[in-house]
């Protein structure tokens, strides 16, 4: 058998295993979005301003701290999945392919078999977004990094939008978008406008992708640096509020629904990010209405969306009361935590 025929046979066998693995009882398909707070390596990337995360810089970001960070993030991802590893994990604030490779292959995640894709953005600090995936539950068939040019007055690029089309074990396709919109720092109106442009582009990309699908499955996630009521979300993405569970079957299959809007405070945690004592919901999850249909091969479960904030991710907020995320840095002071954001989980099932 020549090498071409052998590759064809192996591919066919893999596809059969891939599809058959979905048969039987309902299986969880967990999705998480997580801003991991400056996951940098310890080497300079030419052309990017990453100098603050080098061993001799004020933050003293060295190999020991880098490996500790990787280990802590791996603990979060593994714990969030529990007995069934998360199918998809969208990451914001990763520096490059190297740090994501180390996270997937040089931590406890190695035994879970994650693969990944990463953007290569023009962000001034070299910050990118990434998607980790379980190959037997989501197999990428198309990957695109979409760049939104900044307004002239803004003068700096944001992170590219990561668009991944993947094949599910049911032979359906799922469109996944991972976003990290421009920062709110400085409160500049031009930054607000830039976030609106990014959100509008995501909506356009999703609409275009779903128009080609009989089963229009899509998940949009990431750190949008805005709340659901801010213009970039309300007017750019234009999601609908999540209806009561009883009304899910009547959802518009080609509309998008905001999964995090219904979250209520638990243990005093009312958001994924805390700034000056106030909780913010900057991290968002949106799904196409087709995923709310109970008869869909992949669908949202009643548990829907939740903030993942177990005790090991929290610390006491001495200044403002309650708790807050355990960060890696407080300013330039090393705190040895996980991230300044809590992850956001979305529960789906086959």
């Amino acid at each position: 058998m020549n090498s071409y025929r052998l590759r064809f046979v192996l591919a066919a066998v893999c596809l059969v295993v891939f599809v058959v693995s979905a048969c039987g009882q309902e299986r969880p398909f967990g999705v998480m979005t997580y801003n991991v707070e400056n996951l940098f390596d310890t080497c300079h990337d030419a052309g990017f301003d990453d100098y603050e995360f080098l061993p001799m810089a004020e933050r003293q970001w060295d190999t020991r701290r880098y490996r500790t960070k990787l280990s802590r993030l791996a603990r979060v991802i593994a714990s969030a999945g529990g007995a069934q590893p998360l199918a998809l994990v969208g990451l914001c604030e990763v520096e490059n392919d190297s740090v994501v490779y180390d996270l997937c292959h040089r931590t406890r995640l190695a035994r879970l078999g994650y693969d990944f894709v990463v953007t290569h953005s023009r962000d001034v600090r070299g910050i990118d977004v990434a998607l980790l995936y379980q190959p037997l539950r989501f197999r990428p068939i198309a990957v695109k990094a979409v760049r939104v040019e900044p307004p002239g007055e803004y003068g700096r690029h944001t992170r590219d939008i990561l668009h991944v089309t993947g094949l599910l074990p049911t032979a359906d396709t799922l469109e996944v978008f991972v976003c990290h919109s421009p920062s709110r720092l400085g409160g500049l109106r031009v930054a607000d406008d830039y976030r609106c442009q990014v959100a509008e582009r995501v909506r356009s990309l999703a609409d275009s992708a779903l128009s080609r699908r009989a089963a229009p499955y899509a998940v949009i996630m990431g750190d949008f640096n805005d709340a659901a009521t801010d213009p970039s979300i309300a007017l750019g993405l234009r999601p609908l509020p999540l209806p009561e569970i009883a009304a899910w079957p009547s959802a518009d299959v080609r509309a998008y629904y905001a999964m995090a809007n219904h979250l209520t405070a638990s243990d005093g945690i009312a958001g994924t990010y805390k700034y000056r004592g106030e909780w913010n919901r900057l991290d968002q999850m949106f799904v196409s209405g087709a995923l709310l249909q109970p008869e869909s091969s992949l669908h949202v479960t009643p548990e829907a969306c939740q903030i993942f904030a177990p005790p090991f991710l929290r610390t006491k907020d001495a200044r403002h009361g309650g708790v807050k995320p355990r960060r890696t840095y407080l300013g330039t002071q090393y705190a040895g935590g996980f991230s300044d954001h809590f992850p956001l989980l979305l529960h789906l099932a086959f």
Side-chain angles (χ1 to χ4, degrees):
M1 182 181 293
N2 63 39
S3 60
Y4 174 80
R5 293 183 62 191
L6 177 61
R7 288 198 299 270
F8 179 82
V9 170
L10 290 174
V13 170
C14 289
L15 180 60
V16 170
V17 172
F18 184 67
V19 173
V20 170
S21 67
C23 298
Q25 64 184 7
E26 189 169 85
R27 299 184 179 209
F29 188 92
V31 180
M32 185 169 84
T33 181
Y34 192 18
N35 182 318
V36 295
E37 189 198 345
N38 294 319
L39 179 55
F40 282 84
D41 60 25
T42 60
C43 303
H44 173 55
D45 274 2
F48 295 104
D49 183 11
D50 58 0
Y51 296 102
E52 62 180 325
F53 284 93
L54 296 177
M56 301 306 293
E58 184 178 5
R59 293 177 185 266
Q60 299 180 333
W61 184 245
D62 56 18
T63 300
R64 180 181 60 83
R65 290 181 176 182
Y66 172 60
R67 289 177 176 171
T68 297
K69 174 89 170 182
L70 291 173
S71 177
R72 291 192 181 282
L73 295 178
R75 180 185 178 188
V76 177
I77 295 169
S79 298
Q84 179 65 62
L86 296 168
L88 300 172
V89 181
L91 299 179
C92 298
E93 289 199 15
V94 298
E95 185 182 17
N96 50 38
D97 306 66
S98 175
V99 300
V100 185
Y101 179 90
D102 288 348
L103 177 63
C104 289
H105 298 289
R106 293 177 176 168
T107 68
R108 66 172 71 183
L109 294 187
R111 70 179 188 272
L112 300 183
Y114 281 105
D115 208 341
F116 63 89
V117 289
V118 186
T119 60
H120 297 91
S121 306
R122 289 181 60 191
D123 175 84
V124 67
R125 299 172 64 229
I127 289 292
D128 291 303
V129 299
L131 180 70
L132 313 188
Y133 61 89
Q134 291 276 305
L136 287 181
R137 290 191 285 163
F138 181 86
R139 189 177 68 186
I141 55 178
V143 178
K144 292 189 293 185
V146 180
R147 186 160 297 160
V148 180
E149 295 296 327
E153 318 91 275
Y154 192 68
R156 55 188 292 179
H157 283 82
T158 191
R159 282 64 55 170
D160 292 349
I161 301 163
L162 179 59
H163 176 196
V164 184
T165 302
L167 184 66
L168 300 171
T170 57
D172 294 303
T173 54
L174 174 65
E175 307 288 345
V176 180
F177 299 86
V178 185
C179 312
H180 187 188
S181 295
S183 171
R184 298 170 65 93
L185 291 177
L188 299 176
R189 174 61 184 272
V190 68
D192 297 341
D193 293 342
Y194 195 14
R195 286 196 297 278
C196 287
Q197 290 180 35
V198 171
E200 288 168 357
R201 187 64 177 276
V202 173
R203 173 74 192 226
S204 175
L205 291 167
D207 284 349
S208 177
L210 295 194
S211 69
R212 302 189 295 269
R213 307 293 182 198
Y217 299 160
V219 173
I220 302 169
M221 60 179 163
D223 179 356
F224 288 82
N225 271 308
D226 267 335
T229 54
D230 289 318
S232 71
I233 304 298
L235 303 178
L237 271 173
R238 307 188 304 281
L240 299 177
L242 184 68
E244 296 295 326
I245 293 178
W248 285 7
S250 61
D252 182 345
V253 297
R254 296 186 185 277
Y256 307 96
Y257 291 84
M259 301 303 299
N261 287 4
H262 73 290
L263 293 173
T264 55
S266 176
D267 294 336
I269 299 170
T272 55
Y273 180 77
K274 198 174 188 182
Y275 180 68
R276 295 180 178 175
E278 297 292 328
W279 286 106
N280 293 269
R281 296 183 180 179
L282 307 180
D283 303 283
Q284 304 279 345
M285 286 274 199
F286 307 95
V287 302
S288 57
L291 292 174
L292 298 181
Q293 309 296 312
E295 71 276 9
S296 293
S297 59
L298 181 66
H299 53 271
V300 173
T301 69
E303 293 82 10
C305 189
Q306 64 182 157
I307 298 168
F308 184 65
F312 71 83
L313 278 182
R314 318 175 194 173
T315 189
K316 183 179 179 181
D317 187 346
R319 175 174 295 181
H320 301 287
V323 298
K324 60 183 180 180
R326 287 185 62 193
R327 319 176 46 135
T328 304
Y329 277 91
L330 297 170
T332 58
Q333 180 181 357
Y334 182 66
F338 297 78
S339 172
D340 54 353
H341 288 242
F342 288 134
L344 195 60
L345 282 175
L346 178 65
H347 300 280
L348 299 100
F350 289 119

